[in-house]
Amino acid sequence: MGANTSQVSDLSDNPSLKALVGTESISENDPFWNQLISFTFISPTSSGDSKLLEEAVIPLAKTLIENNPRTGNFGALVKIFLGRTKELKISTECQDQLFIWQAHNALFMIRCLLKVFIREMSEEELHLQFSYQERAPGFCGETGSEDLLEELLSNLVHLIVEVPLLDITYSILFEAVTMLLVFFSYQLFHKDILRDGLIYQHVMKGRCLCLTSRLVKTLLYNFIRQEKCPPPATHIFEPKAEGGLLYGLASGVASGLWSVFTLGGAGSRAGIDQEHNPLPLSNQSLLLLLVLANLTDGPDWPNPYRQAITCFRNTQDTSSLPVEQPHTFQINFNSLYTALCEQQRSDQATLLLYTLLHQNANMRTYMLSRTDMDNLVLPILEILYHVEERNSHHVYMALIILLILTEDDAFNRSIHEVVLKNISWYTERSLTEISLGSLLILVVIRTIQFNMTRTRDKYLHTNCLAALANMSAQFRCLHQYAAQRIISLFALLSKKHNKVLEQATQSLRGRQGDNTALPDYAQDLNVIEEVIRMMLEIINSCLCNSLHHNPNLVYALLYKRELFEQFRTHPSFQDIMQNLDTVIGFFSQRLEQAGSDLSVERVQEVIMKGAQALPIDRLKKFPELKFKYVEEDQPEDFFIPYVWSLVFNSGVGLHWSPHGIELFSMDSG
């Protein structure tokens, strides 16, 4: 691209760039192209510089859009890149860093231009930009039968699955993954979910289809490996007077530097970005995987990428399938499990965990069989514990994961056998020793209380209660604090119930003879009573199934027995209150017989002995509490805007605010 450009402000005056976007056609065999893609440039290290870069590219790209129908220079640039992709694998084996560096630079230039193209035109118009070729002056139109757009898409997929991940290939693999994300970013410019289109057709049915399983497997392994960005290396290629331009990313292997596009995207100082997001390829691969998995099914064909994600198996699984599943493959489950445990701080890793638990039966069975489930559950609980700092969708995913896990009785039993010590992030009370099950109960109850006082989201508290209900029959050796919090939550609900009831009564008295409509207190009461009923069923389930394992819950129940008196005659709770009355009456009598002024230790001793003596047949049996997560409960296409909100905020460089972005701006409200 002519002389080396040292700063973004020089872009518009760069002679090589002006030639590329100008009115003259440049033959594919012209030495100009080799000069163009041999650029060096110090990359932006702040969000301000990155924004300047994007603003500098826009007028150049718009000029190219105007002139490309006559020159075909954009198609020529694409062909230059495609010509190099055929030899990338060999170049990697031969450690030909110069060749890889130039191929990377060409791809980066295409990506910068493509981003503007997608912003400015429809897919059909974009397809024409790939079709224009060098032609005589005055002639305008597409020529040739080659579909350069599909060729580029196919080559990007081949590049990702065939080129090994090494320090010298890290930058070009990152670019290839990012380029595919940019291709799919048409969704960001539309309010409605895109269900067709040229790019969709090519990826779902075209030449990319045969590489479905390999692409999904490669993206998963990129996530598993968590390879850091290679450190800055010695400049292998010194800039020459006739060198080209590097704008955006650094010169790949030439300088080893990375720009804001790669590291974090938020655009603080380079060092801070490196600490915040040192795994750009891993993160970008995960985003692309989620985008592919959430493409909608076609009218006559299912999404092949979702099929691949839902049926892959463990490398240690040697059993044969009764029916061969399409796009299946094998991957190391232990490595994937470890990566998932380590990366739950990010929305996208939590969404991947949800996807695998919900849709891949092989992976779900493997996870539930692990003896170190605390490594997976603790990060999920930490997300819920810091609910104030997380966006609502991250909290939802974490909660749904817990709900799916609690559908398994073996999980519900095993978490009470895992003893944890000194949970540093739980700051409300010092927990020197507590079971994973009791900690889970504490965090879920805290989430319910936060929701009652802040967000008041019925969907959230319903799922919290469903998880507790699933666990209730297997409650074992509940921590004293966990038992107290269960009863404290019931006390809070009882207080809220009385307040709403009092407001309704006062409002009714104050409006005697007034024909205006009353506030709808009935609906509020109904919601609160549903929650109270659920809490009573949870307590009852524990008492009926594992009373002798939970003396602390009986102790808390007796200590706050007056809370339950008002519900004894309530028509909505009479049946469920029979068992609680039986338990409270039985143990109260035992304590009276033991004498007055009993110590805490003596009370607990009486409860433990009484638990062995209480005849189980005195407690009325109720249907087992079991709740199952159903994805159809989500709003239609919920996950598509959620995934694109992650892409938009990930630092891919999609920083503009197109008219459709409000669909994907999913804040924590």
Side-chain angles (χ1 to χ4, degrees):
M1 276 194 176
N4 282 327
T5 299
S6 60
Q7 49 188 329
V8 172
S9 58
D10 296 336
L11 287 180
S12 59
D13 297 324
N14 183 272
S16 295
L17 275 181
K18 291 170 73 173
L20 173 67
V21 305
T23 57
E24 298 295 324
S25 295
I26 305 172
S27 170
E28 295 172 33
N29 299 319
D30 196 302
F32 165 86
W33 297 107
N34 190 59
Q35 177 181 317
L36 177 72
I37 60 177
S38 300
F39 51 75
T40 53
F41 181 78
I42 297 177
S43 59
T45 56
S46 70
S47 58
D49 290 343
S50 180
K51 186 175 181 181
L52 287 174
L53 170 62
E54 293 189 9
E55 291 173 349
V57 170
I58 290 173
L60 291 167
K62 286 186 175 181
T63 302
L64 181 59
I65 291 171
E66 182 179 346
N67 293 327
N68 191 53
R70 293 184 296 276
T71 66
N73 284 345
F74 178 71
L77 175 60
V78 172
K79 290 178 181 178
I80 294 297
F81 167 71
L82 293 177
R84 280 166 166 72
T85 60
K86 297 171 183 176
E87 301 177 35
L88 271 176
K89 193 172 182 180
I90 297 175
S91 299
T92 303
E93 294 171 355
C94 299
Q95 296 285 304
D96 188 345
Q97 300 182 44
L98 174 60
F99 190 92
I100 298 170
W101 168 52
Q102 290 181 325
H104 160 269
N105 289 350
L107 182 56
F108 175 71
M109 292 175 63
I110 296 168
R111 198 247 293 180
C112 283
L113 294 169
L114 186 65
K115 226 173 56 172
V116 183
F117 285 8
I118 288 176
R119 180 192 180 195
E120 297 293 325
M121 63 184 73
S122 67
E123 280 190 90
E124 290 75 15
E125 292 169 325
L126 176 68
H127 189 249
L128 289 177
Q129 293 294 332
F130 280 88
S131 304
Y132 296 132
Q133 297 183 16
E134 178 184 352
R135 54 188 59 88
F139 179 83
C140 186
E142 55 176 316
T143 62
S145 57
E146 179 185 26
D147 191 336
L148 205 57
L149 173 59
E150 184 175 18
E151 182 77 11
L152 178 57
L153 284 167
S154 176
N155 272 263
L156 289 172
V157 175
H158 274 280
L159 192 162
I160 293 169
V161 303
E162 292 179 354
V163 174
L165 175 54
L166 307 170
D167 279 1
I168 61 173
T169 61
Y170 193 103
S171 59
I172 194 167
L173 288 171
F174 172 84
E175 270 305 309
V177 170
T178 305
M179 175 76 96
L180 286 178
L181 277 172
V182 171
F183 265 121
F184 287 120
S185 67
Y186 265 112
Q187 181 64 82
L188 287 168
F189 298 83
H190 293 80
K191 293 178 182 293
D192 299 323
I193 303 300
L194 296 181
R195 303 178 187 277
D196 50 23
L198 289 171
I199 295 168
Y200 175 92
Q201 295 287 334
H202 287 322
V203 171
M204 297 284 270
K205 296 198 304 179
R207 291 160 55 186
C208 300
L209 183 62
C210 63
L211 295 172
T212 294
S213 59
R214 292 181 64 191
L215 178 59
V216 170
K217 183 176 182 178
T218 302
L219 295 175
L220 277 173
Y221 266 126
N222 286 348
F223 168 71
I224 288 170
R225 291 178 63 174
Q226 299 289 309
E227 290 286 348
K228 293 186 177 181
C229 171
T234 304
H235 287 213
I236 302 168
F237 310 109
E238 294 297 331
K240 298 179 181 178
E242 69 277 9
L245 165 73
L246 175 62
Y247 54 92
L249 270 174
S251 54
V253 296
S255 70
L257 298 176
W258 291 88
S259 78
V260 70
F261 288 114
T262 315
L263 295 176
S268 50
R269 294 185 304 278
I272 295 176
D273 279 334
Q274 180 104 12
E275 292 176 4
H276 176 67
N277 180 17
L279 310 167
L281 179 60
S282 172
N283 295 340
Q284 215 82 315
S285 295
L286 180 50
L287 287 171
L288 177 58
L289 182 66
L290 293 171
V291 167
L292 291 169
N294 286 282
L295 292 174
T296 54
D297 294 334
D300 303 314
W301 65 88
N303 178 346
Y305 303 96
R306 188 182 300 126
Q307 285 183 314
I309 287 173
T310 59
C311 69
F312 68 79
R313 301 191 298 157
N314 196 351
T315 49
Q316 297 179 352
D317 185 357
T318 57
S319 62
S320 59
L321 294 173
V323 179
E324 186 62 32
Q325 296 170 305
H327 311 297
T328 188
F329 61 90
Q330 290 184 298
I331 199 168
N332 188 305
F333 277 15
N334 181 62
S335 300
L336 180 54
Y337 178 82
T338 301
L340 286 167
C341 292
E342 293 174 349
Q343 298 300 315
Q344 287 307 303
R345 289 183 300 276
S346 72
D347 284 72
Q348 48 265 40
T350 304
L351 183 52
L352 176 63
L353 174 57
Y354 156 79
T355 302
L356 296 178
L357 269 174
H358 179 55
Q359 299 183 10
N360 190 310
N362 302 320
M363 193 68 195
R364 179 171 62 253
T365 301
Y366 176 83
M367 289 185 189
L368 290 170
S369 70
R370 296 281 302 206
T371 57
D372 60 347
M373 278 297 292
D374 52 307
N375 289 336
L376 185 67
V377 175
L378 280 174
I380 299 300
L381 295 182
E382 192 171 354
I383 293 169
L384 292 175
Y385 185 79
H386 296 294
V387 59
E388 303 96 331
E389 304 167 14
R390 302 289 180 177
N391 70 68
S392 59
H393 308 286
H394 199 184
V395 172
Y396 277 138
M397 288 298 100
L399 186 54
I400 292 169
I401 287 167
L402 287 185
L403 180 55
I404 293 172
L405 291 173
T406 59
E407 292 172 15
D408 184 76
D409 286 341
F411 170 83
N412 295 329
R413 287 191 295 271
S414 65
I415 56 175
H416 292 288
E417 299 169 1
V418 178
V419 178
L420 308 169
K421 295 186 178 181
N422 301 317
I423 308 301
S424 58
W425 48 262
Y426 194 96
T427 57
E428 287 165 289
R429 176 166 171 161
S430 176
L431 299 175
T432 55
E433 187 171 287
I434 189 171
S435 71
L436 179 59
S438 289
L439 181 64
L440 195 158
I441 292 168
L442 285 174
V443 173
V444 170
I445 287 176
R446 185 180 184 274
T447 306
I448 293 173
Q449 291 180 321
F450 173 82
N451 183 55
M452 287 174 62
T453 57
R454 303 281 187 88
T455 57
R456 299 180 181 179
D457 187 325
K458 182 178 179 181
Y459 180 80
L460 190 146
H461 79 239
T462 299
N463 281 279
C464 284
L465 290 169
L468 289 178
N470 285 345
M471 296 169 58
S472 59
Q474 280 83 35
F475 283 172
R476 294 290 188 277
C477 303
L478 289 183
H479 190 278
Q480 179 184 2
Y481 186 51
Q484 290 173 5
R485 298 305 294 162
I486 291 173
I487 304 304
S488 295
L489 175 58
F490 186 85
L492 181 63
L493 292 167
S494 177
K495 183 178 179 181
K496 193 173 182 65
H497 178 270
N498 293 339
K499 182 178 180 180
V500 174
L501 192 60
E502 183 181 351
Q503 288 174 338
T505 304
Q506 290 178 352
S507 179
L508 186 62
R509 289 172 180 169
R511 293 176 177 244
Q512 289 182 355
D514 190 347
N515 294 326
T516 57
L518 287 170
D520 192 5
Y521 290 110
Q523 184 176 356
D524 291 342
L525 271 176
N526 184 55
V527 171
I528 295 171
E529 288 179 359
E530 283 181 7
V531 178
I532 289 175
R533 171 79 189 193
M534 179 73 80
M535 283 302 301
L536 288 172
E537 289 181 342
I538 290 168
I539 295 170
N540 178 71
S541 175
C542 176
L543 296 177
C544 289
N545 292 281
S546 55
L547 183 147
H548 58 289
H549 288 301
N550 292 290
N552 285 329
L553 181 61
V554 176
Y555 183 96
L557 194 64
L558 292 171
Y559 189 73
K560 293 288 187 179
R561 71 190 78 175
E562 70 280 357
L563 286 173
F564 301 90
E565 291 179 1
Q566 62 177 309
F567 300 107
R568 184 175 292 113
T569 57
H570 195 292
S572 298
F573 312 120
Q574 277 183 322
D575 58 338
I576 202 77
M577 280 300 302
Q578 291 179 20
N579 283 346
L580 271 70
D581 279 342
T582 299
V583 171
I584 290 173
F586 176 83
F587 284 98
S588 296
Q589 185 179 16
R590 286 240 165 189
L591 289 173
E592 289 175 5
Q593 294 172 353
S596 58
D597 298 326
L598 300 177
S599 65
V600 173
E601 292 76 12
R602 176 59 181 150
V603 172
Q604 289 177 332
E605 181 184 344
V606 172
I607 289 173
M608 292 180 71
K609 289 182 178 179
Q612 303 296 327
L614 177 63
I616 296 298
D617 56 7
R618 289 181 58 181
L619 300 180
K620 180 182 176 182
K621 291 295 182 182
F622 285 85
E624 183 183 7
L625 289 178
K626 270 300 173 186
F627 294 88
K628 193 174 182 65
Y629 170 70
V630 180
E631 191 172 65
E632 286 71 21
D633 291 342
Q634 297 284 2
E636 183 182 8
D637 294 322
F638 169 83
F639 293 101
I640 297 175
Y642 179 36
V643 169
W644 276 107
S645 73
L646 301 180
V647 175
F648 183 76
N649 295 303
S650 68
V652 183
L654 303 169
H655 300 307
W656 299 306
S657 297
H659 61 80
I661 197 61
E662 55 265 23
L663 176 64
F664 304 97
S665 297
M666 309 178 82
D667 57 33
S668 57

